[in-house]
């Protein structure tokens, strides 16, 4: 072999080696490089729960530092369980439920500032606020502290405002988002810019912006008080399903489906939705991708509905923006995932995130802790910065008047088991018309589907029952008064 041939062969081998090297993932130095998922022991799981079989794309699960709430399968109406976190193990079949809705419960969310207040929404067109007693339920709860009617079709989503107490957002199949002031128990604003079903709602850190995804394939950034659309993206190539604000970095992340039906994620600049900053293919599976973002660690978790795995990434402000870390794998598919708020985590175990995974086939709720491996027993300041706490920054009136304020932060080092000082007082209301944006929301809206007709029928049956009870009580009272009058007439004094 000649000199030239040898040189050429050597160059070819070198080039091949370089190509091989370039395909290897570029590992960055990161304190979250080795984060791993740890599944709780069986005795620390919640077992024997009839998890709902509803196919609505929600988590059907909500968790806070005190309680776990799960939407259950139930005949006639909708119900959910509320279990104190320490009450792990097998849950009895006759365990008391929250069961006041006349249709399936589609979403539940805990109040971020009052740990025993939970909001639920349902196919019966109502949103309800429930007050769970300390220590959990001892009997079935059918009476909500507030029943909110304003949507003309079923209500698919509820979200609490992140910094303001008693402001709740609900999105219905009437394509409207209603903003409720729970101090007065009425809707105070209506966002009416969507042309199809709203799939997801997400707030930025101070709650001054709301982002939505919609079946009309549009991603929107909205000023919630005025309902004005500030930015809009028509997602032709990336059909958006879910959206999440990435803390204060003025970025949005969406999960969706590409034109080739592969699952993908896209990163957007919230001030310019003309084109995504990056789009990344994930895989060719069909389940919806749920994104979860931790603003404290800048970590993004992606969990597919029906998958057993959870991928996690680190988000940075410079390119490539998205850095893959690792994947938690499990053979059991998840229907949905609840997420523990930061102040409910175990900081002594270096736990930075905790999921509650719904495994429908086994009727099991499985806690999964994401842990940063550290040898030291002391408090790790670098992985637990100050985080939004359990005190609201604004009152409903302040927020509605146009004020924005960042969340009140707390340290997880100093007594993070502090109880919230906020208490919920239900307003006393009379039935009357509810006018928002010049439209009476309680006017009789003609039913559009058979289900709606049924819901209207059940609601009217309840109203008829209530009126009959009222009438029979009045009849009894009239008879009592007549008897008293007769006795007075027949008394000896009157003769």
């Amino acid at each position: 072999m000649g000199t030239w041939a040898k040189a050429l062969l050597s160059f070819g081998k070198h080039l091949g080696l370089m190509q091989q090297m370039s395909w290897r993932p570029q590992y960055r130095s990161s304190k979250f490089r080795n984060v791993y998922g740890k599944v709780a022991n069986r005795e620390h799981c919640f077992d024997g729960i009839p998890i709902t079989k509803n196919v609505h794309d929600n988590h059907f699960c909500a968790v806070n530092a005190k309680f776990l709430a799960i939407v259950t399968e139930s005949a006639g109406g909708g119900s959910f369980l509320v279990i104190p976190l320490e009450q792990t193990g097998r849950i009895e079949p006759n365990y008391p439920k929250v069961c006041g809705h006349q249709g399936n419960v589609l979403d539940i969310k805990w109040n971020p500032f009052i740990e025993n207040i939970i909001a639920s929404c349902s196919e019966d067109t109502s949103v309800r606020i429930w007050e769970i007693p300390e220590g959990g339920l001892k009997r079935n709860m059918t009476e909500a502290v507030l029943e909110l009617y304003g949507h003309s079709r079923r209500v698919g989503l509820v979200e609490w405002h992140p910094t303001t107490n008693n402001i709740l957002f609900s999105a219905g199949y009437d394509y409207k988002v209603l903003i409720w002031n729970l101090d007065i128990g009425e809707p105070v604003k209506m966002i009416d810019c969507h042309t199809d079903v709203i799939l997801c709602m997400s707030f930025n850190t101070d709650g001054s912006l709301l982002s939505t995804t919609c079946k009309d394939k549009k991603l929107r950034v909205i000023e919630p008080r005025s309902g004005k659309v500030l930015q809009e993206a028509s997602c032709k190539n990336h059909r958006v399903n879910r959206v999440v604000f990435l803390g204060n970095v003025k970025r949005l992340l969406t999960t969706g489906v590409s034109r080739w039906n592969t699952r993908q994620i896209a990163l957007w600049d919230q001030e310019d939705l003309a084109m995504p900053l990056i789009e990344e293919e994930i895989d060719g599976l069909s389940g919806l991708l749920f994104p979860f973002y931790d603003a404290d660690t800048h970590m993004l978790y992606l969990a597919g509905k029906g998958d057993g795995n959870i991928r996690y990434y680190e988000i940075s402000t410079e390119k490539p923006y998205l850095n893959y870390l690792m994947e938690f794998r499990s053979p059991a598919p998840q229907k949905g995932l609840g997420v523990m708020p930061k102040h409910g985590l175990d900081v002594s175990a270096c736990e930075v995130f905790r999921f509650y995974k719904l495994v429908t086939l086994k009727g099991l709720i499985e806690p999964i802790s994401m842990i940063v491996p550290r040898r030291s027993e002391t408090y790790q300041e670098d992985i637990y910065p100050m985080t939004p706490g359990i005190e609201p920054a604004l009152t409903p009136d302040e927020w509605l008047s146009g004020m924005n304020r960042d969340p009140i932060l707390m340290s997880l080092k100093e007594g993070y088991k502090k109880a919230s000082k906020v208490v919920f007082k239900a307003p006393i209301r009379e039935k009357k018309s509810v006018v928002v944006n010049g439209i009476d929301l309680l006017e009789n809206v003609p039913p559009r589907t058979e289900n709606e007709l049924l819901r209207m029928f059940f609601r009217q049956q309840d109203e008829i029952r209530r009126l009959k009870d009222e009438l029979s009580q009045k009849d009894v009272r009239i008879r009592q008064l007549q008897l008293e009058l007769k006795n007075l007439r027949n008394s000896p004094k009157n003769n």
Side-chain angles (χ1 to χ4, degrees), residues 43 55 71 85 96 168 174 368 495:
E43 62 266 23
V55 294
V71 178
L85 281 187
L168 182 73
D174 51 8
I368 302 166
N495 293 334

Side-chain angles (χ1 to χ4, degrees), residues 40-88:
N41 298 333
R42 193 64 189 239
E43 62 266 23
H44 294 122
C45 296
F46 299 84
D47 204 354
I49 293 169
I51 300 165
T52 179
K53 294 185 175 70
N54 196 309
V55 294
H56 195 71
D57 282 330
N58 273 350
H59 293 293
F60 301 111
C61 174
V63 64
N64 65 16
K66 279 187 182 175
F67 299 109
L68 170 70
I70 310 107
V71 178
T72 56
E73 192 64 18
S74 63
S79 62
F80 58 96
L81 285 174
V82 175
I83 307 164
L85 281 187
E86 61 276 5
Q87 200 176 320
T88 53

